[in-house]
Amino acid sequence: MADYGRDYLRSLTLERGLSTNTAESYSVDIGHLMSWLEMRGLELADVRQDHLHELLCDLGEMGLAPASLSRFISGIRGFFRYLKIRGVIEHDPSELIEMPKRSRKLPDVLSTEEIDAMIAAIDWNKDEALRNNAIIETLYGSGLRVSELCGLRISRLSLDDGFVLVEGKGSKQRLAPLSPVAVDLIREYLDKRAEGPIKPGNSDILFLNRRGAALTRVMVFYIIRDLAATAGITHKVSPHTLRHSFATHLLEGGANLRAIQEMLGHESIATTEIYLHMDRSILRRELLTHHPHFRGNEF
């Protein structure tokens, strides 16, 4: 069974160009499936729909979130389709498995005052102060995912034009904007970065740790969390909070939802539409401005 799992993951990487993070997630999910089947003495050809329902119940009782369950189902559906094409199984037991309902939890958002407070909390006596300031401005000014920030390359920066070429989910590339503040900080940081150690293979990576290696997602999470705590922000703050703040503040300022979708790298507009629910005043303002029966009135 393990051989089929490895072959499937190899085909995903080669044929669909999945990113390393996505491939690793699918690998973990298929590993869960294989372990569960082995514990019950089941071969792949023996698996029925009720077996998969039982597995999903077990994962749910272990505390796996609906979003993670949806990804798990997506992964094993692809795996069983692959097995059917290969002739390993005759019937696909995952065909009728339904996705769990996902709650539309509104993202946490920082105010501009809170973002300014985080920047003010940076300790400029530390060597990493300039880098951390550039990280905050890039996350908030460009709406990047933390994995995209960690993978930013100097060769893909266009500082004169205020853009950077980003590699997002599924290795899809897009142009992300850089604010003038971020551009100035990155230029200054690049000068300072050149003075420190750079490990082999990291010369094109923009943001480095003090040893000259690429920052990890966990490192960036701690940088943001600690600055938020120092700034006196009591609610949970992560790199993703800055991405949500970027999108929400754009929408509040009147930006087009399609433009926000492009800048965030969302494949579907439905993912971006969650921001419409964040501030009803936006919808109110649009009605008062554009609808003939609302224009010039208050409600």
Short mmCIF file of all heavy atoms in Angstrom, two decimals, residues 144-176:
data_model
loop_
_atom_site.label_atom_id
_atom_site.label_comp_id
_atom_site.label_asym_id
_atom_site.label_seq_id
_atom_site.Cartn_x
_atom_site.Cartn_y
_atom_site.Cartn_z
N LEU A 144 0.42 39.07 1.69
CA LEU A 144 1.04 37.77 1.42
C LEU A 144 0.68 36.72 2.47
O LEU A 144 0.45 37.05 3.63
CB LEU A 144 2.56 37.90 1.37
CG LEU A 144 3.17 38.86 0.36
CD1 LEU A 144 4.69 38.73 0.39
CD2 LEU A 144 2.64 38.60 -1.05
N ARG A 145 0.64 35.47 2.04
CA ARG A 145 0.63 34.36 2.98
C ARG A 145 2.03 34.27 3.59
O ARG A 145 3.01 34.66 2.97
CB ARG A 145 0.29 33.04 2.28
CG ARG A 145 -1.06 33.03 1.57
CD ARG A 145 -1.26 31.71 0.83
NE ARG A 145 -2.56 31.63 0.18
CZ ARG A 145 -2.81 31.96 -1.08
NH1 ARG A 145 -1.81 32.39 -1.85
NH2 ARG A 145 -4.02 31.86 -1.59
N VAL A 146 2.12 33.67 4.79
CA VAL A 146 3.43 33.60 5.45
C VAL A 146 4.39 32.73 4.64
O VAL A 146 5.60 33.01 4.57
CB VAL A 146 3.29 33.09 6.90
CG1 VAL A 146 2.74 31.65 6.95
CG2 VAL A 146 4.62 33.18 7.64
N SER A 147 3.90 31.67 4.00
CA SER A 147 4.77 30.82 3.17
C SER A 147 5.30 31.60 1.97
O SER A 147 6.45 31.39 1.55
CB SER A 147 4.00 29.58 2.70
OG SER A 147 2.85 29.95 1.98
N GLU A 148 4.48 32.50 1.43
CA GLU A 148 4.92 33.33 0.31
C GLU A 148 5.99 34.31 0.76
O GLU A 148 6.96 34.55 0.04
CB GLU A 148 3.73 34.07 -0.28
CG GLU A 148 2.70 33.15 -0.92
CD GLU A 148 1.39 33.83 -1.27
OE1 GLU A 148 1.17 34.96 -0.79
OE2 GLU A 148 0.59 33.22 -2.00
N LEU A 149 5.82 34.87 1.95
CA LEU A 149 6.82 35.81 2.48
C LEU A 149 8.17 35.10 2.65
O LEU A 149 9.21 35.63 2.26
CB LEU A 149 6.36 36.37 3.82
CG LEU A 149 7.37 37.32 4.46
CD1 LEU A 149 7.01 38.77 4.18
CD2 LEU A 149 7.49 37.08 5.95
N CYS A 150 8.13 33.90 3.24
CA CYS A 150 9.38 33.15 3.48
C CYS A 150 10.07 32.77 2.18
O CYS A 150 11.29 32.61 2.15
CB CYS A 150 9.09 31.89 4.30
SG CYS A 150 8.52 32.23 5.98
N GLY A 151 9.30 32.63 1.10
CA GLY A 151 9.88 32.23 -0.18
C GLY A 151 10.20 33.37 -1.12
O GLY A 151 10.61 33.13 -2.27
N LEU A 152 10.03 34.62 -0.67
CA LEU A 152 10.32 35.76 -1.55
C LEU A 152 11.77 35.75 -2.01
O LEU A 152 12.68 35.53 -1.21
CB LEU A 152 10.02 37.08 -0.83
CG LEU A 152 8.56 37.46 -0.63
CD1 LEU A 152 8.46 38.80 0.08
CD2 LEU A 152 7.80 37.50 -1.96
N ARG A 153 11.96 36.03 -3.30
CA ARG A 153 13.30 36.02 -3.88
C ARG A 153 13.70 37.42 -4.34
O ARG A 153 12.89 38.14 -4.90
CB ARG A 153 13.38 35.02 -5.04
CG ARG A 153 13.17 33.58 -4.60
CD ARG A 153 13.40 32.60 -5.71
NE ARG A 153 13.35 31.23 -5.19
CZ ARG A 153 14.38 30.60 -4.66
NH1 ARG A 153 15.57 31.22 -4.61
NH2 ARG A 153 14.28 29.36 -4.21
N ILE A 154 14.95 37.74 -4.10
CA ILE A 154 15.47 39.06 -4.50
C ILE A 154 15.36 39.24 -6.01
O ILE A 154 15.04 40.33 -6.50
CB ILE A 154 16.93 39.22 -4.03
CG1 ILE A 154 17.01 39.16 -2.50
CG2 ILE A 154 17.53 40.52 -4.54
CD1 ILE A 154 18.43 39.08 -1.96
N SER A 155 15.60 38.17 -6.75
CA SER A 155 15.57 38.25 -8.22
C SER A 155 14.17 38.54 -8.75
O SER A 155 14.01 38.90 -9.92
CB SER A 155 16.08 36.94 -8.83
OG SER A 155 15.29 35.84 -8.39
N ARG A 156 13.14 38.39 -7.93
CA ARG A 156 11.77 38.64 -8.37
C ARG A 156 11.22 39.97 -7.86
O ARG A 156 10.05 40.26 -8.04
CB ARG A 156 10.87 37.48 -7.93
CG ARG A 156 11.23 36.17 -8.62
CD ARG A 156 10.38 35.02 -8.17
NE ARG A 156 10.72 33.80 -8.91
CZ ARG A 156 10.18 32.61 -8.66
NH1 ARG A 156 9.28 32.48 -7.70
NH2 ARG A 156 10.52 31.56 -9.38
N LEU A 157 12.07 40.73 -7.19
CA LEU A 157 11.67 42.06 -6.73
C LEU A 157 11.76 43.06 -7.88
O LEU A 157 12.72 43.05 -8.65
CB LEU A 157 12.57 42.54 -5.60
CG LEU A 157 12.45 41.86 -4.23
CD1 LEU A 157 13.58 42.33 -3.32
CD2 LEU A 157 11.09 42.18 -3.60
N SER A 158 10.77 43.92 -7.97
CA SER A 158 10.83 45.05 -8.90
C SER A 158 10.55 46.30 -8.07
O SER A 158 9.43 46.83 -8.07
CB SER A 158 9.80 44.88 -10.02
OG SER A 158 9.91 45.93 -10.95
N LEU A 159 11.58 46.73 -7.33
CA LEU A 159 11.39 47.81 -6.37
C LEU A 159 11.07 49.14 -7.05
O LEU A 159 10.30 49.94 -6.51
CB LEU A 159 12.64 47.94 -5.49
CG LEU A 159 12.96 46.71 -4.61
CD1 LEU A 159 14.21 46.96 -3.80
CD2 LEU A 159 11.78 46.38 -3.70
N ASP A 160 11.62 49.37 -8.23
CA ASP A 160 11.33 50.63 -8.93
C ASP A 160 9.86 50.72 -9.33
O ASP A 160 9.29 51.81 -9.36
CB ASP A 160 12.21 50.76 -10.18
CG ASP A 160 13.68 51.00 -9.83
OD1 ASP A 160 13.94 51.47 -8.70
OD2 ASP A 160 14.54 50.69 -10.67
N ASP A 161 9.26 49.56 -9.63
CA ASP A 161 7.85 49.53 -10.03
C ASP A 161 6.92 49.26 -8.86
O ASP A 161 5.69 49.38 -9.00
CB ASP A 161 7.63 48.46 -11.10
CG ASP A 161 8.41 48.75 -12.38
OD1 ASP A 161 8.46 49.93 -12.76
OD2 ASP A 161 8.98 47.81 -12.96
N GLY A 162 7.47 48.85 -7.72
CA GLY A 162 6.64 48.59 -6.55
C GLY A 162 5.88 47.28 -6.61
O GLY A 162 4.73 47.18 -6.17
N PHE A 163 6.52 46.23 -7.17
CA PHE A 163 5.88 44.92 -7.26
C PHE A 163 6.89 43.83 -6.94
O PHE A 163 8.10 44.03 -7.03
CB PHE A 163 5.31 44.67 -8.67
CG PHE A 163 4.04 45.41 -8.96
CD1 PHE A 163 4.07 46.62 -9.62
CD2 PHE A 163 2.82 44.90 -8.57
CE1 PHE A 163 2.91 47.33 -9.88
CE2 PHE A 163 1.64 45.59 -8.83
CZ PHE A 163 1.69 46.80 -9.49
N VAL A 164 6.35 42.65 -6.56
CA VAL A 164 7.18 41.47 -6.40
C VAL A 164 6.43 40.28 -6.99
O VAL A 164 5.20 40.19 -6.89
CB VAL A 164 7.51 41.21 -4.91
CG1 VAL A 164 6.26 40.99 -4.07
CG2 VAL A 164 8.45 40.01 -4.77
N LEU A 165 7.14 39.40 -7.68
CA LEU A 165 6.54 38.19 -8.24
C LEU A 165 6.51 37.14 -7.15
O LEU A 165 7.55 36.77 -6.61
CB LEU A 165 7.35 37.70 -9.45
CG LEU A 165 6.77 36.51 -10.21
CD1 LEU A 165 5.43 36.86 -10.85
CD2 LEU A 165 7.76 36.04 -11.29
N VAL A 166 5.31 36.68 -6.83
CA VAL A 166 5.10 35.76 -5.70
C VAL A 166 4.70 34.40 -6.23
O VAL A 166 3.93 34.29 -7.18
CB VAL A 166 3.99 36.31 -4.78
CG1 VAL A 166 3.65 35.32 -3.67
CG2 VAL A 166 4.41 37.64 -4.18
N GLU A 167 5.22 33.35 -5.59
CA GLU A 167 4.79 31.99 -5.91
C GLU A 167 3.83 31.53 -4.83
O GLU A 167 4.20 31.34 -3.68
CB GLU A 167 5.99 31.04 -6.00
CG GLU A 167 5.60 29.66 -6.50
CD GLU A 167 6.80 28.83 -6.92
OE1 GLU A 167 7.53 29.25 -7.84
OE2 GLU A 167 7.01 27.78 -6.30
N GLY A 168 2.56 31.39 -5.20
CA GLY A 168 1.52 31.05 -4.23
C GLY A 168 1.19 29.57 -4.21
O GLY A 168 2.02 28.72 -4.56
N LYS A 169 -0.05 29.25 -3.83
CA LYS A 169 -0.49 27.86 -3.74
C LYS A 169 -0.46 27.20 -5.11
O LYS A 169 -0.79 27.82 -6.12
CB LYS A 169 -1.91 27.80 -3.16
CG LYS A 169 -1.98 28.11 -1.67
CD LYS A 169 -3.37 27.88 -1.13
CE LYS A 169 -3.42 28.06 0.37
NZ LYS A 169 -4.77 27.82 0.93
N GLY A 170 -0.06 25.93 -5.12
CA GLY A 170 0.01 25.20 -6.38
C GLY A 170 1.05 25.76 -7.33
O GLY A 170 0.94 25.57 -8.54
N SER A 171 2.07 26.44 -6.78
CA SER A 171 3.15 27.04 -7.57
C SER A 171 2.65 28.07 -8.57
O SER A 171 3.32 28.38 -9.56
CB SER A 171 3.95 25.94 -8.32
OG SER A 171 4.55 25.06 -7.40
N LYS A 172 1.45 28.62 -8.32
CA LYS A 172 0.92 29.67 -9.20
C LYS A 172 1.56 31.00 -8.86
O LYS A 172 1.71 31.35 -7.69
CB LYS A 172 -0.60 29.76 -9.05
CG LYS A 172 -1.33 28.52 -9.58
CD LYS A 172 -2.83 28.66 -9.43
CE LYS A 172 -3.53 27.42 -10.00
NZ LYS A 172 -5.00 27.50 -9.80
N GLN A 173 1.93 31.73 -9.89
CA GLN A 173 2.62 33.01 -9.69
C GLN A 173 1.67 34.18 -9.91
O GLN A 173 0.74 34.11 -10.70
CB GLN A 173 3.81 33.12 -10.65
CG GLN A 173 4.90 32.09 -10.37
CD GLN A 173 6.11 32.28 -11.27
OE1 GLN A 173 6.02 32.87 -12.34
NE2 GLN A 173 7.24 31.79 -10.84
N ARG A 174 1.92 35.25 -9.15
CA ARG A 174 1.15 36.48 -9.32
C ARG A 174 2.02 37.66 -8.94
O ARG A 174 3.01 37.50 -8.22
CB ARG A 174 -0.12 36.47 -8.46
CG ARG A 174 0.12 36.63 -6.97
CD ARG A 174 -1.17 36.61 -6.18
NE ARG A 174 -0.99 36.97 -4.79
CZ ARG A 174 -0.53 36.16 -3.85
NH1 ARG A 174 -0.22 34.90 -4.16
NH2 ARG A 174 -0.39 36.57 -2.60
N LEU A 175 1.65 38.84 -9.41
CA LEU A 175 2.33 40.06 -9.01
C LEU A 175 1.64 40.63 -7.79
O LEU A 175 0.42 40.83 -7.79
CB LEU A 175 2.31 41.08 -10.14
CG LEU A 175 3.26 40.84 -11.31
CD1 LEU A 175 3.01 41.87 -12.40
CD2 LEU A 175 4.72 40.91 -10.84
N ALA A 176 2.41 40.87 -6.74
CA ALA A 176 1.86 41.47 -5.51
C ALA A 176 2.43 42.88 -5.36
O ALA A 176 3.61 43.12 -5.66
CB ALA A 176 2.22 40.62 -4.30
#
